[in-house]
Amino acid sequence: MNNGKQPVIILSHSLGGLWALHFLRQQSLTWQQEYIGHFIAVSTPWGGTVQSMKIFASGYAEGAPFINPLLLRAEQRSSESNLWLLPTPATFDKQVLVTTERDSYSACDISRFLEDVGYPEGVPLYESRIPALVESLNPPFIPVTIVYSDGIDTPLMLAYGRKGFEHQPLVTYGDGDGTVNLQSLMGVLNRWKALQGEDLEVINLHGKTHSTILTDKQAVNTLVEIVLSKPRHAEILS
């Protein structure tokens, strides 16, 4: 696409925000400022999600009725991008996120967790790739708008009983967008505000879920307004 070498707006959703940030951080300050006008990150799981631990432990049917999540577990484990969504120590620290009758796991125990849920082949994939991607989420050298939502029950802790990971857990809920925990959605805000100042804009679309933030008319109109409020010379790249 030839747009006359005008800077573009990157608009991302969910994991796309982490991919976009990883891409931008590999570019020089000069390159970013020449080619990227603005980065709009919507519903980004900066610090991972507790929901992703359920994916690896006992599967996740994504709300579909009459589907046993365990039947989806192997396929979901095979999607390596799900490893990037596991909770990070920087966001969740040693907070207990998963319990069984014999053990407990925090974001600091991901390798042991993957072993214990029966996915040992995921350990080297996780250890060799993920920590380096999530340990230092520094902002890019361009203006950023972070859009998130809250007010929706979101899995915060998973308690597995005597049958272990071969049945579904008792879920304790906290705040978030239904998929991503609030502390993850806001995981980079304090540090980025200190580093970016006025180049960081934060918008909360309260009450929208992780998916309806892209389909709800009010939310979509807000996203369009955000894009149109940016410099008119920038094109949109989604």
Side-chain angles (χ1 to χ4, degrees):
M1 181 180 69
N2 183 355
N3 72 339
K5 296 185 178 181
Q6 297 299 314
V8 301
I9 294 173
I10 296 179
L11 174 62
S12 68
H13 176 254
S14 193
L15 181 59
L18 290 172
W19 284 114
L21 178 62
H22 180 59
F23 166 76
L24 289 170
R25 291 296 302 173
Q26 295 182 76
Q27 315 306 321
S28 68
L29 182 152
T30 301
W31 188 95
Q32 290 187 42
Q33 294 182 342
E34 181 176 357
Y35 294 107
I36 309 297
H38 205 95
F39 174 31
I40 304 172
V42 182
S43 305
T44 303
W46 304 109
T49 74
V50 176
Q51 183 74 274
S52 65
M53 297 185 80
K54 184 177 184 299
I55 287 174
F56 285 97
S58 54
Y60 176 48
E62 301 186 21
F66 313 118
I67 295 179
N68 183 350
L70 290 170
L71 298 177
L72 305 176
R73 182 173 59 184
E75 182 276 328
Q76 291 172 331
R77 287 176 175 178
S78 72
S79 177
E80 293 183 18
S81 61
N82 282 330
L83 291 169
W84 205 345
L85 294 173
L86 287 166
T88 67
T91 296
F92 291 90
D93 197 24
K94 296 183 179 180
Q95 176 183 347
V96 173
L97 305 176
V98 175
T99 64
T100 66
E101 287 192 335
R102 297 182 178 181
D103 218 333
S104 62
Y105 307 87
S106 72
C108 300
D109 305 311
I110 296 299
S111 293
R112 181 166 60 87
F113 169 76
L114 293 173
E115 285 271 6
D116 291 352
V117 300
Y119 186 51
E121 58 268 39
V123 175
L125 295 175
Y126 172 81
E127 292 182 345
S128 64
R129 303 177 187 182
I130 306 306
L133 293 173
V134 300
E135 283 176 356
S136 180
L137 294 180
N138 291 319
F141 301 114
I142 54 173
V144 176
T145 298
I146 290 178
V147 183
Y148 73 98
S149 57
D150 59 5
I152 306 294
D153 285 343
T154 305
L156 183 61
M157 189 173 76
L158 312 173
Y160 288 88
R162 60 183 179 84
K163 294 183 179 180
F165 302 114
E166 296 306 311
H167 82 139
Q168 298 307 305
L170 176 66
V171 180
T172 299
Y173 292 91
D175 201 357
D177 66 9
T179 299
V180 184
N181 307 91
L182 183 60
Q183 62 208 87
S184 176
L185 290 164
M186 302 180 68
V188 299
L189 294 191
N190 288 337
R191 187 167 76 257
W192 284 24
K193 282 180 180 178
L195 294 172
Q196 286 201 302
E198 294 183 358
D199 279 341
L200 177 65
E201 176 184 36
V202 180
I203 296 176
N204 178 7
L205 299 181
H206 177 77
K208 311 304 180 187
T209 70
H210 192 71
S211 56
T212 61
I213 202 169
L214 296 180
T215 59
D216 177 85
K217 184 176 181 180
Q218 179 185 7
V220 171
N221 286 341
T222 299
L223 293 177
V224 171
E225 290 173 2
I226 294 170
V227 172
L228 295 179
S229 70
K230 305 314 169 192
R232 296 298 297 273
H233 63 269
E235 299 291 335
I236 301 174
L237 177 65
S238 60

